[in-house]
Amino acid sequence: ASATTSATALHRELGAAETWDFLEVCPPVTHPYGVVDAKFVVDVRALLSLSEGESDANRENGHPSSRVLRGAEAVARGYAGDMGHHARHPPDLVVLPLTTEEVAAVVRLCYVRRVPIVPRGAGTGLEGGCVAYRGGVVIDTCLMKRISAVDGEQLAVVGAGVLKNELNKFLEPLGLLFGPDPSSNPSIGGMASTGGSGMSTLKYGTSKENVRSMTVVTPTGRVIRTRQPVRKSSTGYELNSLYLGAEGTLGVITELVVRVFPRPKVRCGAVVVFTDVHAAATTVVDAVRSNLDTLLRCELMNDEGVRVTNVVFKTRLATAPTLFLEFAGNTREVAEGDWAAMLGMARKNGAKTWRFAASGEELDELWDARRGCYLGAMRYRGLMAGDPKRKESVYVGDVCVPTSRLAECVAMTEADFKDAGFPCVMCAHISDGNFHCLIPYAPEEEERLMALNDKVIARAIGMGGAASGEHGVGIGKIKHVCWEHGPFHVDCQRRLKRALDPRMIMNPGKIFTPEQSEEERRARHRHMGGPSTSKL
């Protein structure tokens, strides 16, 4: 009887769905957040239909023994951080829902009690986007694993927690694949949240271009579908675009409808070595302008990147700037014709050597090594110093510039890091203008490295580029968003968030600060010639 009474009181507190939003007055964002106490945990368990100490009913299917985690257990499972170099911070609670309805119930509870929420996918991000710096509840979507193909359409319906490799394993027997290919094997929901796209953007587009529709739980606990999963729609605001790249600041993505593609029948590839990164990048720019239909992957490693690969993965590549190429299509004649055309461009730009692989599988080990660049950079200086157990923090740059400025920007950026005495492990999805500099560093070097990184980002923005091509903003690039877009653009984003998330509970402190930052104030002064009176 007491359990029934408690459940009734909880549902009364949360209110009926039809009254949500309309009967509440939202406190100012300066009010303190609610507390995750013992009662809150009990209520979360009640919403998930779990009694205190009860194991998950799906334990036999490989799910964790508990879907509500606290304290040391949450930290031990990695919830205090992501894969980036930013500070760690434990959440007050971790919830692992199975369904959209469970997510909605937990979000509603957090909304009523003003408890922060941090959505989380695979935790492979690099900018602190899934870290609960304000405490509160992490909603981990890793158990939301539903996958189904849509009959008669080149579409698949996937739970937000499905990993990229899991989706492609499901699609392979159907002769299909999911195009975007980040190296870290993130969740599909996480890819949509940050724009992670990876190595095949030139052929298949970014992750944002491959999401047809999404199911989202809003900050008030309501469930919406962003659009119908058709190719064309002209029926009001494009909510799909609003939630893509929002990094969980506007809602929790629980399910997605994504585009899939026929698996190509022919794969071939090549490795091309150059004297410098400028020549390699110029070749890529020439290839993009030539619109080679079968060019699937076009990755650049500089000499340090190749050295890391050789040391960590035992490859035997020439230590020089190198392009890794893959061509994929339905006929060998077309794929090898595109390779011949690109080889001509490479030779014109001074390529030193090249090796062609008629079967793409011959290069799979090199692609695996390319995907391991980040882990390799962590160990690189230790291995070079004869200390194989030594691992360092690694900063990963993520600028994206117009292809017309790519060769210039890549060469200047590499020179900046090397002149400053930092190893510069460059791994670039270079055909889309996005390149990563992986910089291992010691704690005492961090301040100098961050100042140098600011210089690199400012240059990319000055060339008409973006501070981040696919890793997102999180906490690491908040000031750079203002540099790129200006204070009025940031103000517009903040107003949108306050309209949709009036209690500012959804991943607070990410992308921009809750209140106007000093960086924005200075930018306003430059634009307007004096202090702004706006409080936003």
Side-chain angles (χ1 to χ4, degrees):
S2 60
T4 302
T5 302
S6 177
T8 302
L10 177 60
H11 286 292
R12 186 184 303 116
E13 179 185 4
L14 299 186
E18 59 269 18
T19 69
W20 289 0
D21 297 335
F22 302 107
L23 300 182
E24 299 181 73
V25 178
C26 297
V29 296
T30 54
H31 278 206
Y33 284 115
V35 177
V36 177
D37 54 16
K39 181 181 185 306
F40 186 94
V41 176
V42 169
D43 289 341
V44 168
R45 287 186 174 276
L47 293 172
L48 299 183
S49 300
L50 295 174
S51 63
E52 186 65 38
E54 182 183 3
S55 295
D56 181 5
N58 290 285
R59 184 175 183 177
E60 66 274 13
N61 295 326
H63 294 165
S65 60
S66 172
R67 296 197 285 125
V68 180
L69 311 176
R70 297 192 77 183
E73 186 177 12
V75 173
R77 295 196 187 185
Y79 288 105
D82 60 7
M83 290 186 66
H85 71 286
H86 297 290
R88 297 165 63 82
H89 193 283
D92 296 315
L93 193 70
V94 178
V95 180
L96 292 86
L98 296 171
T99 65
T100 296
E101 292 72 23
E102 288 186 348
V103 174
V106 173
V107 169
R108 179 61 182 169
L109 179 65
C110 291
Y111 176 73
V112 169
R113 299 186 188 174
R114 197 168 185 250
V115 171
I117 301 166
V118 179
R120 185 181 178 98
T124 58
L126 296 167
E127 297 294 348
C130 66
V131 181
Y133 290 108
R134 307 293 177 93
V137 177
V138 164
I139 295 182
D140 184 354
T141 60
C142 69
L143 300 184
M144 306 184 80
K145 295 288 194 183
R146 176 194 173 197
I147 312 177
S148 62
V150 179
D151 290 340
E153 304 281 349
Q154 287 184 263
L155 298 172
V157 181
V158 299
V162 173
L163 302 182
K164 176 202 69 176
N165 289 350
E166 291 174 337
L167 176 56
N168 276 322
K169 183 177 180 180
F170 171 86
L171 294 172
E172 186 173 8
L174 305 177
L176 301 169
L177 59 80
F178 179 60
D181 186 25
S183 60
S184 59
N185 191 27
S187 68
I188 305 301
M191 289 175 66
S193 291
T194 63
S197 300
M199 296 189 282
S200 56
T201 301
L202 185 65
K203 186 174 182 68
Y204 295 121
T206 68
S207 60
K208 294 178 181 180
E209 294 162 331
N210 281 273
V211 175
R212 187 65 61 81
S213 176
M214 294 183 291
T215 299
V216 177
V217 177
T218 72
T220 62
R222 282 180 161 167
V223 179
I224 65 169
R225 183 163 65 175
T226 55
R227 70 193 297 277
Q228 295 282 59
V230 291
R231 185 171 187 179
K232 295 172 68 177
S233 175
S234 183
T235 51
Y237 294 154
E238 181 54 272
L239 295 188
N240 221 43
S241 296
L242 181 64
Y243 286 98
L244 289 168
E247 301 186 33
T249 61
L250 300 178
V252 184
I253 299 170
T254 61
E255 189 173 79
L256 308 91
V257 181
V258 298
R259 297 175 64 196
V260 295
F261 296 85
R263 192 170 288 271
K265 298 175 181 177
V266 174
R267 293 173 60 210
C268 59
V271 176
V272 187
V273 180
F274 293 84
T275 55
D276 56 65
V277 293
H278 190 280
T282 300
T283 300
V284 174
V285 173
D286 292 343
V288 171
R289 289 172 177 168
S290 298
N291 195 27
L292 303 177
D293 287 339
T294 65
L295 182 57
L296 170 63
R297 295 189 178 102
C298 183
E299 297 285 305
L300 168 68
M301 282 191 194
N302 68 343
D303 55 354
E304 295 265 32
V306 173
R307 190 174 291 114
V308 165
T309 300
N310 286 340
V311 170
V312 177
F313 296 97
K314 312 303 181 185
T315 52
R316 296 182 178 181
L317 299 167
T319 307
T322 303
L323 287 181
F324 297 84
L325 308 173
E326 182 171 336
F327 300 85
N330 291 324
T331 68
R332 184 161 299 280
E333 180 182 10
V334 174
E336 294 189 1
D338 282 348
W339 154 241
M342 189 157 188
L343 177 59
M345 301 172 205
R347 296 178 67 177
K348 181 189 71 173
N349 290 307
K352 292 166 59 179
T353 61
W354 52 87
R355 177 168 67 90
F356 176 70
S359 168
E361 286 74 14
E362 294 179 40
L363 291 176
D364 280 347
E365 285 189 12
L366 291 180
W367 289 123
D368 289 342
R370 160 60 187 91
R371 291 186 176 96
C373 266
Y374 180 78
L375 297 177
M378 291 173 64
R379 300 175 56 201
Y380 177 51
R381 290 205 295 193
L383 288 168
M384 296 297 288
D387 183 5
K389 294 184 179 180
R390 172 182 163 191
K391 289 185 179 181
E392 295 183 299
S393 296
V394 174
Y395 175 77
V396 185
D398 182 41
V399 297
C400 186
V401 295
T403 53
S404 60
R405 306 297 300 274
L406 181 60
E408 176 187 8
C409 191
V410 165
M412 294 175 72
T413 299
E414 181 189 50
D416 282 342
F417 285 114
K418 289 190 173 185
D419 290 347
F422 286 104
C424 179
V425 178
M426 186 173 287
C427 301
H429 315 311
I430 195 164
S431 59
D432 57 20
N434 183 205
F435 63 95
H436 306 310
C437 293
L438 287 71
I439 315 297
Y441 68 94
E444 63 272 15
E445 298 174 306
E446 183 171 4
E447 184 175 350
R448 188 164 60 93
L449 174 59
M450 291 301 104
L452 188 57
N453 178 60
D454 284 349
K455 177 182 176 181
V456 169
I457 291 177
R459 175 191 296 126
I461 292 171
M463 290 181 171
S468 175
E470 60 177 351
H471 294 166
V473 178
I475 62 167
K477 290 189 169 68
I478 289 177
K479 69 178 180 181
H480 303 126
V481 172
C482 188
W483 294 5
E484 180 177 335
H485 296 299
F488 308 116
H489 185 290
V490 176
D491 179 58
C492 184
Q493 291 196 52
R494 187 180 290 110
R495 288 172 185 265
L496 282 170
K497 177 170 175 61
R498 286 197 179 178
L500 296 175
D501 182 14
R503 294 194 168 187
M504 299 292 277
I505 61 170
M506 196 62 70
N507 211 3
K510 311 298 170 55
I511 302 181
F512 43 77
T513 54
E515 302 287 350
Q516 184 186 92
S517 68
E518 188 58 35
E519 191 81 36
E520 291 173 67
R521 293 183 193 281
R522 289 196 297 267
R524 281 178 178 269
H525 295 176
R526 290 194 297 269
H527 279 282
M528 302 174 67
S532 167
T533 58
S534 172
K535 295 185 183 298
L536 285 176

